[in-house]
Amino acid sequence: MADLVWRSGGHARRTTRTVRVTVSAVIVAAVVLAVLIVPPVVQLDEQAVDLSQKLQPPSLAHPFGTDDVGRDLLLRCIYGLRISLLVGVVAALVATVVGTLVGAAAAAFGGWVDRLVMRLVDTFSSVPHLLLGIFVVAMFRPGVWPVIVSVAITHWLSTARIVRSEVLSLRSRPFVDAAISGGASRWRVTSRHLIPAVLPQAGLAAVLMVPHAMWHESALSFLGLGLPSHQASLGNLIQTARGSLLAGDWWPTLFPGLFLIVPTLAVAGLAGAWRERINPRRRSELTL
């Protein structure tokens, strides 16, 4: 009887995990299709102002309503999601590449190189990400690339720590000892054996970093330091809608917020499934 309950509990957890992954995959696919297909197919100007339609509630003509100058909020949200997703993906890739190279080099060379790199990582980590990001974007004119650089500079640290710890554990493996005994140089061992072995963990870190980078971009834009105010991004949409929310108009704030929250939760769901797949011990514990 106890064994039956144990197995049924494990089956329920597997079913729940399958549903979560399926729903997350559907949401992510819908988001990608929306940002890739809707702008070129619809071919409407998301900046078109129509003061006669300002602050219209959700309707058939405008499913998400309109903003304070009569622009269609659904179209603005899709354009904003496209910009925020672009910033998140590019910044995550840059940060992951930098973090992987720095972490692998620190662990492979060891000694004073490892100590110097980790002190540098600790120094950057001691400064809050948002504060450091504000300092970086403040040196440039508002735009997409300053935000990408800001997010990438502040988010490579966790990847460097993860990759360093993985490489340190791999250095004691028999295949590394065999390569060194065969005359392979330290650089060859690192590039041919160590870095490929940590790519799954680095890829997982990149996926998890995308929603984090999107939130970072939204925070900078909300503070007026990210993208130009006329350019649609989720942070700009939420910042612009503050006055409307105080006046009782809820839709200009609600829908951009959902466009930010729902995709990030979907990406987190897929990343959790990936983590279980590349970590057999965790997967076996979860399926008991």
Side-chain angles (χ1 to χ4, degrees):
M1 183 65 179
D3 182 64
L4 179 60
V5 173
W6 185 271
R7 290 179 181 273
S8 63
H11 176 72
R13 283 191 291 270
R14 286 192 296 271
T15 303
T16 302
R17 186 166 63 251
T18 301
V19 172
R20 185 184 72 239
V21 172
T22 302
V23 172
S24 298
V26 170
I27 293 175
V28 171
V31 166
V32 173
L33 289 176
V35 299
L36 292 179
I37 295 177
V38 171
V41 170
V42 175
Q43 292 186 347
L44 294 176
D45 185 10
E46 49 91 18
Q47 298 283 6
V49 175
D50 185 1
L51 295 179
S52 65
Q53 296 293 320
K54 70 175 184 177
L55 292 177
Q56 295 293 315
S59 62
L60 292 178
H62 303 286
F64 285 6
T66 60
D67 64 6
D68 57 345
V69 291
R71 294 173 295 193
D72 184 78
L73 198 56
L74 174 58
L75 193 61
R76 295 273 292 171
C77 285
I78 293 176
Y79 273 86
L81 180 60
R82 185 174 67 167
I83 294 296
S84 298
L85 194 60
L86 171 67
V87 172
V89 170
V90 176
L93 290 177
V94 174
T96 300
V97 171
V98 173
T100 300
L101 295 178
V102 171
F109 287 96
W112 66 270
V113 175
D114 186 24
R115 292 192 295 271
L116 177 63
V117 170
M118 296 316 297
R119 296 296 79 76
L120 179 64
V121 170
D122 292 339
T123 301
F124 273 93
S125 299
S126 63
V127 182
H129 285 178
L130 185 58
L131 182 60
L132 183 59
I134 291 174
F135 175 77
V136 173
V137 297
M139 296 187 297
F140 303 94
R141 295 180 61 183
V144 173
W145 289 108
V147 176
I148 291 176
V149 171
S150 167
V151 176
I153 287 177
T154 56
H155 287 72
W156 64 272
L157 308 171
S158 58
T159 304
R161 285 199 175 98
I162 293 171
V163 170
R164 175 181 175 272
S165 63
E166 290 292 331
V167 171
L168 287 176
S169 66
L170 290 171
R171 284 175 55 182
S172 59
R173 301 289 179 85
F175 71 91
V176 174
D177 294 335
I180 295 175
S181 301
S185 64
R186 184 174 296 181
W187 167 251
R188 183 176 179 83
V189 170
T190 303
S191 60
R192 294 293 299 274
H193 298 286
L194 298 180
I195 291 182
V198 300
L199 285 181
Q201 287 79 8
L204 176 60
V207 173
L208 287 171
M209 204 178 300
V210 170
H212 194 183
M214 291 176 61
W215 281 88
H216 199 93
E217 177 275 324
S218 298
L220 291 173
S221 297
F222 183 82
L223 294 174
L225 298 171
L227 302 179
S229 58
H230 68 275
Q231 190 169 14
S233 75
L234 297 179
N236 279 341
L237 294 179
I238 296 173
Q239 195 275 340
T240 305
R242 288 187 303 170
S244 302
L245 182 63
L246 294 176
D249 301 320
W250 49 269
W251 56 92
T253 303
L254 174 65
F255 292 114
L258 290 178
F259 265 62
L260 180 62
I261 295 173
V262 173
T264 57
L265 291 178
V267 173
L270 292 180
W274 188 355
R275 183 190 295 114
E276 295 169 14
R277 182 172 294 275
I278 66 176
N279 191 334
R281 174 181 295 182
R282 178 177 176 83
R283 183 176 59 188
S284 64
E285 290 173 352
L286 291 175
T287 56
L288 286 177

